[in-house]
Amino acid sequence: MSDLSFGALLRGWRDRLDPADAGYARSARRRAPGLRREELAELAGLSVEYVLRLEQGRATNPSAQVVSAIARALRLTPAERDQLFRAASLLAPRDHTVGTHVPPSLRRLVARLGDLPIGVFAADWSLLWFNDMWTALHGDPSGLPPAERNLARALFGTGEGRWHLYPVSSAAGPYAFETAIVADLREAVARYPADPELAALVDGLRSASPFFGELWAVAGMEQLTGDVKTISHPELGDVTLDCDVLTLPGVDLRIVTYTAAPGTRGADQLDLMRASRLSEAR
């Protein structure tokens, strides 16, 4: 790639990305390989017009948050992400920060489990990838700004993410879910003490939520691994499912899955969600 401008890098990496790796079905209607501009905009939480202006060089000062969102959407390696930051005249993220890269191989793996609600999260509980069943269970987070697609912000913040999240309760008791998320953040801070975005997230939540501050003062450092969750779904009522959190140490990501034992009400409700998603796709 001879042209190393921000727009050229953006176009080249968009054309390179297999739509299937980004969760989009291949279609005979596609006239060119790679990800469509509107698909990149959707994945990054940006407008199509803004992506077009970035590619054409008419928008020349994207924020670090925007560049990070684009890098995640394009599945860039850490080296490519750093190159994109430099092309935007921004400092690349420092080492020892929370990783946001979801390898294509992991995306292919979780995509094969499409009949279950699945989300992939970073160590700070930012949602990086989700499937249609996740949307059916929790609502569609694609319309939220990237910063608001964070579970801790949804639980304790005051932004859009808080009002997007359907109410969730834990079989472990009142506030067990919230306590576990705060404990997990404490553990993340211990692993990434130099990450400024993680520090800003924690400081912001401590300022916005006295309850977060109380939990932060007493929470342990145990990682969230699994629970039985009840989601108050606006159409199906209470949906009770087994929730498991699988941690991938090499990339420090979390795969969150929801399942139900055969013959249970939760299994029937998941079947209804699958049927609904299939009918919408037709």
Side-chain angles (χ1 to χ4, degrees):
M1 187 180 295
S2 58
D3 186 351
L4 298 181
S5 67
F6 189 91
L9 292 172
L10 195 55
R11 291 191 303 271
W13 284 327
R14 178 169 63 80
D15 290 341
R16 179 189 69 178
L17 183 62
D18 187 333
D21 287 338
Y24 293 99
R26 294 186 182 90
S27 169
R29 298 178 182 177
R30 288 183 180 269
R31 298 179 179 178
L35 206 62
R36 291 176 176 140
R37 191 175 289 118
E38 57 267 26
E39 292 168 342
L40 172 58
E42 179 182 8
L43 291 170
L46 306 171
S47 71
V48 179
E49 170 62 22
Y50 187 54
V51 172
L52 177 61
R53 290 168 55 209
L54 287 170
E55 290 190 353
Q56 294 178 341
R58 294 187 289 120
T60 57
N61 296 296
S63 68
Q65 185 180 43
V66 165
V67 178
S68 293
I70 290 173
R72 287 194 296 268
L74 291 174
R75 322 297 184 238
L76 300 186
T77 66
E80 291 169 339
R81 175 208 62 193
D82 292 352
Q83 185 179 8
L84 193 63
F85 266 82
R86 289 191 294 270
S89 300
L90 294 169
L91 290 175
R94 291 184 288 177
D95 292 338
H96 310 299
T97 58
V98 172
T100 59
H101 176 62
V102 183
S105 57
L106 175 58
R107 292 177 179 274
R108 289 191 291 269
L109 173 64
V110 293
R112 295 296 296 269
L113 305 175
D115 62 338
L116 299 174
I118 295 180
V120 179
F121 290 82
D124 64 353
W125 284 103
S126 290
L127 180 61
L128 306 177
W129 184 95
F130 55 93
N131 63 5
D132 284 346
M133 284 293 288
W134 181 277
T135 296
L137 179 63
H138 285 294
D140 188 356
S142 61
L144 293 173
E148 288 296 321
R149 301 178 200 173
N150 179 283
L151 186 53
R153 279 199 175 98
L155 291 172
F156 301 102
T158 57
E160 295 177 53
R162 182 174 182 84
W163 313 116
H164 171 85
L165 184 70
Y166 296 159
V168 179
S169 60
S170 167
Y175 308 124
F177 180 39
E178 291 85 349
T179 301
I181 293 298
V182 174
D184 222 18
L185 277 183
R186 282 184 63 95
E187 203 275 338
V189 168
R191 293 200 312 279
Y192 302 100
D195 189 323
E197 292 189 10
L198 178 59
L201 169 66
V202 171
D203 289 345
L205 293 178
R206 293 178 74 177
S207 298
S209 171
F211 183 41
F212 180 89
E214 293 173 9
L215 293 179
W216 184 264
V218 300
M221 295 176 63
E222 302 83 6
Q223 285 193 334
L224 185 65
T225 57
D227 199 353
V228 177
K229 298 285 179 59
T230 298
I231 298 94
S232 296
H233 195 278
E235 298 173 0
L236 300 178
D238 286 348
V239 182
T240 300
L241 302 169
D242 293 322
C243 177
D244 290 288
V245 182
L246 312 176
T247 303
L248 305 179
V251 289
D252 205 4
L253 299 175
R254 293 167 176 79
I255 302 175
V256 178
T257 66
Y258 287 90
T259 61
T264 62
R265 182 169 183 264
D268 292 340
Q269 289 169 316
L270 286 177
D271 286 340
L272 287 172
M273 292 180 202
R274 293 186 196 102
S276 175
R277 302 307 294 181
L278 286 173
S279 64
E280 290 176 7
R282 290 171 183 166

